[in-house]
Amino acid sequence: MSKEEIITRLAQSVIDGEPEDAVELAKQALDEGLDPLVCINQGLTAGINRVGELFASGEYFLPDLIIGGEAMKAALAVLEPALAGDQERQILGRVVLGTVRGDLHEIGKTLVGTMLTANGFLVTDIGIDKPAADFVSAAREANATLIGASALLTTTMPEQQKIVEELKEAGLRDQVRVMIGGAPITQGWADKIGADGYAEDAISAVALAKQLVGVPV
Amino acid sequence: MPSIKPIRPRFHLEVLSATQREAIKSATLRVLEQTGVKFPSERALRVFAEHGAWVDMATQIVRLPPDLVLEAMGRAPRSYVLTGRAEGTDLTLDGTCSYFGTDGCGTETLDFTTGERRPSCKEDVARMARVVDYLPSVAFYWPMVSAQDCGRLAPLHELDASFNSTAKHVQTETVMGARPAQYALRMGEVIAGDRERMRARPPFSVLICTIAPLGQDKEGIEAGMVYAEAGIPVGFMAMPNMGSTAPAVPGGALVVGNAEVVSALVLMQLVAPGAPVFHSILASVMNPRTAEYIVSTPEKYLCNAAAVHMAHDWGVPSLAGGFGVDAAEPASWQLGRDSVYSALMCTLAGTDMSVGLGMLGASTLLAPEQIIFDDEIYHTHRILAEGIDTSSDGLALDVIAKVGPRGHFLAQKHTRRHIQDLWIPELTHPRQPLDGTPMPGIQPRAKAKLDSILAEHQPQPLEEAAQAELRTILEAAAQELGS
Ligand code: B12
């Protein structure tokens, strides 16, 4: 297989949502001595961008988007360790995302994560039922500039406020922006607790995240 | 108070054949045996282990031998009574009729006076309880919105507002956790008299959600055990969402939902053999483009009706989700369509209980007058389900012979007697004002009816002493649990 062909097929494995193929192709690329950064940028990223277009135009459904993302992630796990010391994959920002303590609602949060990933963010999904402290420590560990907190219950909304407060206590408030969401959340609540933004759905969450990290929307 | 009018269907809808029902049941038993369900509660895991279930303490996954499931479910009663505190408010769940309740736990209210959207509060719970106390369509009350002005104790305040404002049976879907459950039980004792009378005549029941796929909520499951031991009827509702938290096929969604619910009901029977329990699956579909939660689709209607059969196959009462809670606006075409499929199908499938009156925006928005529209749809279903009278009076042979060809039936006593039984929808066919003033539109008429109920109907008050006791319990709860 020619080098161009490997890269085209890497992109295609993401478009088709075939994680096993993506991993195989990534290994093959390294065996053939291809530059991993080129594989990522021209193969995987090109593929996920195409997936994003197909989703936006209504041809793809959510599972296509999510499985495409899985394929990309699987191949990245092979390629990233092979990057040279001074090479870094281009990302828009690092995000720590989760659902707050006491709250087990998962779907909205996961969808926001998928859309952020598909749009070039590096997302650390810490899962559901997570106390404010976990968001803060994960943000510190991942060197994140953005925290996304989901709350679907009126009784768990106050935990979002705690995240803002604990970030302040940890001295990280200046480095980390906080965005919040979930069915009962409103802009009014975001203003009240001093969060940096609120988004109603996953599409506007991406726009919000871009705005918060200073990328043109 | 006008008496409750349950629906007594005279004909039934079977959406699954006997073979299909058997297939779902054995698939469920297989999932319970081989895949298992996660119970993140030490107490629950211990109980399961003691009774011979396969328990993995590290993953908290419990797998159940089919015999254990069948034996435990065999102890659950098929019929029992949910009680209210006024005469005529008892609901006997015995498979002969369907009782309806409101939808619950909304987060926003269209203000009763200004119509503006705002966060919900305790007073909304109380007001809607008064409306429900009046409406014969509503047999039991789910506190319709969250008492967001009551902080952490909101769930107990929702119960307080409900007990104070309606004599009908109350079902909570928010008082979770073993400690809060103890306070709910004390409130129930105040209404029932004491613990033993509460067991015999439970003034409230509880609905707990399972966590799709194949999981349980620690707070829910631990509260459930406390309630079951006290004889308070406990139901579990699975909410499999086709495409996200469940397979994207109705059959698979039913199997997952059934396994979640039955695993929890088995636990209830292990801690309190013979405890009154009920079964509920409220399926939905994921919008494949946005993940939006959709309840108004044919696959979900089918699942809801099928779930009723499944509950009855396990020998327990069912609670089904009815009404068109998806719509964004009251009195819309969408609401009418959705209510008919969802409520009518599960009624004809023979559900013991159903909920859903009065809410919009996928169960998040309380539009107060919506319940008046839903009430009218309910009565249409009620009359429809009662079927056709084919007795000799019902066939009217005598009067047909008497009038003969051409003539009319207007002057017949038979007509005079029976025309009152024909149910005419009041909202679409209101009485014209006699003074010639123009008739207001349908929405203002619904609002006017709501306002007149609120102005005129006085629910049977809770005795002063009981009110005070409830307040004391809330204070004690605030002390222990924080407000
Ligand atoms: C599905 C569901 C469940 C499922 C969740 C399954 C799962 N694995 O996730 C189950 C059945 C487990 C469940 C359980 C409960 N639920 Co529930 N649930 C829902 C329901 C119907 C839909 C939620 C959903 O998935 N929507 C689809 C997704 C895609 O939308 P979304 O979550 O809103 O997310 C979007 C946006 O909000 C935004 N967003 C979300 N997160 C974030 C984060 C950021 C950073 C940003 C920017 C944006 C953003 O973008 C997302 C994508 O567009 C809602 C009602 C509703 N219409 O919202 C009730 C609802 C939230 N639940 C409710 C309740 C009461 C409960 C229970 C307490 C019920 C009980 N008695 O046990 C339990 C609580 C369990 C717990 N401790 O968390 C109430 C809450 C009411 C209140 N006053 O707070 C609601 C409103 C329904 C109701 N009226 O009763 N629930």
Coordinates of all heavy atoms in Angstrom, one line a residue, chain B residues 55-83:
Chain B
V55 N -23.3 -12.6 43.6 CA -23.0 -11.2 43.8 C -21.5 -11.0 43.7 O -20.7 -11.7 44.3 CB -23.4 -10.8 45.3 CG1 -23.0 -9.4 45.5 CG2 -24.9 -11.0 45.4
D56 N -21.1 -10.0 42.8 CA -19.7 -9.6 42.7 C -19.6 -8.3 43.4 O -20.0 -7.3 43.0 CB -19.4 -9.5 41.2 CG -17.9 -9.1 41.0 OD1 -17.3 -8.4 41.9 OD2 -17.4 -9.5 39.9
M57 N -19.0 -8.4 44.6 CA -18.9 -7.2 45.5 C -18.1 -6.1 44.9 O -18.3 -4.9 45.1 CB -18.2 -7.6 46.8 CG -19.2 -8.5 47.7 SD -20.5 -7.5 48.3 CE -21.5 -8.7 49.2
A58 N -17.1 -6.5 44.0 CA -16.2 -5.4 43.5 C -17.0 -4.6 42.4 O -17.0 -3.4 42.4 CB -15.0 -6.1 42.8
T59 N -17.7 -5.3 41.5 CA -18.4 -4.6 40.4 C -19.8 -4.2 40.9 O -20.5 -3.5 40.2 CB -18.5 -5.4 39.2 OG1 -19.2 -6.6 39.5 CG2 -17.1 -5.8 38.6
Q60 N -20.2 -4.8 42.0 CA -21.6 -4.5 42.5 C -22.7 -5.1 41.5 O -23.8 -4.6 41.5 CB -21.8 -3.1 42.8 CG -20.8 -2.5 43.8 CD -21.1 -1.0 44.1 OE1 -21.3 -0.3 43.1 NE2 -21.0 -0.6 45.3
I61 N -22.3 -6.1 40.7 CA -23.2 -6.6 39.8 C -23.8 -7.9 40.4 O -23.1 -8.8 40.9 CB -22.6 -6.9 38.4 CG1 -22.4 -5.5 37.8 CG2 -23.5 -7.8 37.6 CD1 -21.6 -5.6 36.5
V62 N -25.1 -8.0 40.3 CA -25.8 -9.1 40.9 C -26.5 -9.9 39.8 O -27.1 -9.4 38.9 CB -27.0 -8.6 41.8 CG1 -27.8 -9.8 42.3 CG2 -26.4 -7.8 43.0
R63 N -26.2 -11.2 39.8 CA -26.9 -12.1 38.8 C -27.8 -13.0 39.6 O -27.6 -13.5 40.7 CB -25.9 -12.9 38.0 CG -25.0 -12.0 37.1 CD -24.0 -12.7 36.2 NE -23.1 -13.5 37.0 CZ -23.0 -14.9 37.0 NH1 -23.8 -15.6 36.2 NH2 -22.2 -15.5 37.8
L64 N -29.0 -13.2 39.0 CA -30.1 -13.9 39.7 C -30.4 -15.2 39.1 O -30.8 -15.3 37.9 CB -31.3 -13.0 39.8 CG -31.2 -11.7 40.5 CD1 -32.4 -10.8 40.2 CD2 -31.0 -11.9 41.9
P65 N -30.4 -16.3 39.9 CA -30.9 -17.6 39.3 C -32.4 -17.5 39.0 O -33.1 -16.9 39.8 CB -30.7 -18.6 40.5 CG -29.8 -17.9 41.5 CD -30.0 -16.4 41.3
P66 N -32.9 -18.0 37.9 CA -34.3 -17.9 37.5 C -35.2 -18.4 38.7 O -36.3 -17.7 38.9 CB -34.4 -18.8 36.3 CG -33.0 -18.8 35.7 CD -32.1 -18.7 36.9
D67 N -34.9 -19.4 39.4 CA -35.7 -19.9 40.4 C -36.0 -18.9 41.5 O -37.1 -18.7 42.0 CB -35.2 -21.2 41.1 CG -35.3 -22.4 40.1 OD1 -36.0 -22.2 39.1 OD2 -34.6 -23.4 40.4
L68 N -34.9 -18.2 41.8 CA -35.0 -17.2 42.9 C -35.9 -16.0 42.4 O -36.7 -15.6 43.2 CB -33.6 -16.6 43.1 CG -33.5 -15.4 44.1 CD1 -33.9 -15.9 45.5 CD2 -32.0 -14.9 44.2
V69 N -35.8 -15.7 41.1 CA -36.6 -14.6 40.6 C -38.1 -15.0 40.7 O -39.0 -14.3 41.2 CB -36.3 -14.3 39.1 CG1 -37.2 -13.3 38.5 CG2 -34.8 -13.8 39.1
L70 N -38.4 -16.2 40.2 CA -39.8 -16.7 40.1 C -40.4 -16.9 41.5 O -41.5 -16.5 41.7 CB -39.8 -18.0 39.3 CG -39.4 -17.8 37.8 CD1 -39.3 -19.2 37.1 CD2 -40.4 -17.0 37.1
E71 N -39.6 -17.4 42.4 CA -40.1 -17.6 43.7 C -40.4 -16.2 44.4 O -41.4 -16.0 45.0 CB -39.0 -18.4 44.5 CG -39.6 -19.0 45.7 CD -38.5 -19.5 46.6 OE1 -37.7 -20.4 46.1 OE2 -38.4 -19.1 47.8
A72 N -39.4 -15.3 44.3 CA -39.6 -14.0 45.0 C -40.8 -13.3 44.3 O -41.7 -12.8 45.1 CB -38.4 -13.2 44.8
M73 N -40.9 -13.3 43.0 CA -42.0 -12.6 42.4 C -43.3 -13.3 42.7 O -44.4 -12.6 42.8 CB -41.8 -12.5 40.9 CG -40.7 -11.6 40.4 SD -40.8 -9.9 41.0 CE -42.2 -9.3 40.0
G74 N -43.3 -14.5 43.0 CA -44.5 -15.3 43.4 C -45.1 -14.8 44.7 O -46.3 -15.0 45.0
R75 N -44.3 -14.1 45.5 CA -44.8 -13.6 46.8 C -45.4 -12.3 46.7 O -46.1 -11.8 47.6 CB -43.6 -13.5 47.8 CG -43.0 -14.8 48.1 CD -42.1 -14.7 49.4 NE -41.2 -15.7 49.4 CZ -39.8 -15.6 49.3 NH1 -39.4 -14.3 49.3 NH2 -39.0 -16.6 49.2
A76 N -45.2 -11.6 45.6 CA -45.8 -10.2 45.5 C -47.3 -10.3 45.2 O -47.7 -11.1 44.4 CB -45.1 -9.5 44.3
P77 N -48.1 -9.5 46.0 CA -49.5 -9.6 45.8 C -49.9 -9.0 44.4 O -49.4 -8.0 44.0 CB -50.1 -8.7 46.9 CG -49.0 -7.8 47.3 CD -47.7 -8.5 47.0
R78 N -51.0 -9.6 43.8 CA -51.5 -9.0 42.5 C -52.4 -7.9 42.8 O -52.5 -6.9 42.0 CB -52.3 -10.1 41.8 CG -53.1 -9.6 40.5 CD -52.1 -9.0 39.5 NE -52.8 -8.3 38.4 CZ -53.2 -7.1 38.4 NH1 -53.0 -6.3 39.4 NH2 -53.8 -6.6 37.3
S79 N -53.1 -7.9 44.0 CA -54.0 -6.8 44.2 C -53.9 -6.2 45.6 O -53.6 -7.0 46.6 CB -55.4 -7.1 43.9 OG -55.9 -8.2 44.6
Y80 N -54.0 -5.0 45.8 CA -54.0 -4.3 47.1 C -54.6 -2.9 46.9 O -55.0 -2.5 45.8 CB -52.6 -4.2 47.6 CG -51.5 -3.6 46.7 CD1 -51.3 -2.3 46.6 CD2 -50.8 -4.5 45.9 CE1 -50.3 -1.8 45.8 CE2 -49.8 -4.0 45.0 CZ -49.6 -2.6 45.0 OH -48.7 -2.1 44.1
V81 N -54.7 -2.2 48.0 CA -55.5 -0.9 48.0 C -54.5 0.3 48.3 O -53.7 0.2 49.2 CB -56.6 -0.9 49.0 CG1 -57.4 0.4 48.9 CG2 -57.5 -2.1 48.8
L82 N -54.6 1.3 47.4 CA -54.0 2.6 47.7 C -55.0 3.5 48.3 O -56.1 3.5 47.8 CB -53.4 3.2 46.5 CG -52.5 2.4 45.6 CD1 -52.2 3.2 44.3 CD2 -51.2 2.0 46.3
T83 N -54.8 4.1 49.4 CA -55.9 4.8 50.1 C -55.7 6.3 50.1 O -54.5 6.8 50.0 CB -56.1 4.4 51.5 OG1 -55.0 4.9 52.3 CG2 -56.1 2.9 51.6

